Amino acid sequence: MEIKTYIVEDNATIRENLVETLQELAGVQSLGWSDTEDEAVRWLGAHRGEWHLLIVDLFLRQGSGLGVLQAGQQRGREQRVVVLSNYATPDMRRRCSELGADAVFDKSNEIDALVDYCLALSERP
């Protein structure tokens, strides 16, 4: 199954590399991206039920990934939200979980774990 994914990331280089890597290794189809909280929240509101995976960075050009997580709480049971951040401290992981994140990955050393997570999603019926 191809995983329809929306990415919220303000660093263009990271975003482009992430899309390329996940498409190649995990069958992820990018539906688009936002680099601000407001834009991401608007997109989520306009595309309910149209995505499988939302990948969110915590620090954005405007706003915060925490606001995006809060908006993502209004989703279907089959939809997943993960955080990909350089700030994946134990406290921040707990906060993200409280806001509905299904997983939190550290950009610096957990990209392989994110790929594995996506592969597991693609194998689900």
Side-chain angles (χ1 to χ4, degrees):
M1 175 181 99
E2 196 168 56
I3 306 165
K4 295 178 182 176
T5 303
Y6 192 74
I7 298 173
V8 184
E9 168 64 61
D10 65 338
N11 183 305
T13 301
I14 290 172
R15 186 176 56 241
E16 290 165 10
N17 289 336
L18 181 62
V19 167
E20 188 176 300
T21 299
L22 293 178
Q23 283 176 339
E24 182 178 323
L25 299 178
V28 167
Q29 173 194 359
S30 176
L31 297 176
W33 58 270
S34 300
D35 62 358
T36 69
E37 177 184 340
D38 288 347
E39 188 178 337
V41 169
R42 273 194 305 276
W43 189 91
L44 288 171
H47 296 88
R48 295 188 193 281
E50 297 177 19
W51 52 274
H52 300 125
L53 178 63
L54 176 66
I55 300 174
V56 182
D57 185 14
L58 293 175
F59 295 101
L60 304 171
R61 191 169 54 84
Q62 171 276 319
S64 163
L66 296 176
V68 178
L69 290 177
Q70 192 163 11
Q73 290 177 338
Q74 303 299 318
R75 65 182 189 264
R77 286 184 15 218
E78 72 286 348
Q79 293 174 305
R80 299 290 176 252
V81 177
V82 300
V83 172
L84 180 64
S85 177
N86 284 323
Y87 195 65
T89 65
D91 285 342
M92 189 54 71
R93 288 176 188 267
R94 186 178 64 255
R95 180 75 175 121
C96 291
S97 178
E98 289 169 356
L99 287 171
D102 296 295
V104 178
F105 301 99
D106 191 311
K107 283 182 188 176
S108 62
N109 60 15
E110 293 181 325
I111 296 296
D112 289 343
L114 174 60
V115 170
D116 290 343
Y117 183 90
C118 292
L119 286 169
L121 281 181
S122 71
E123 293 171 358
R124 291 178 34 197

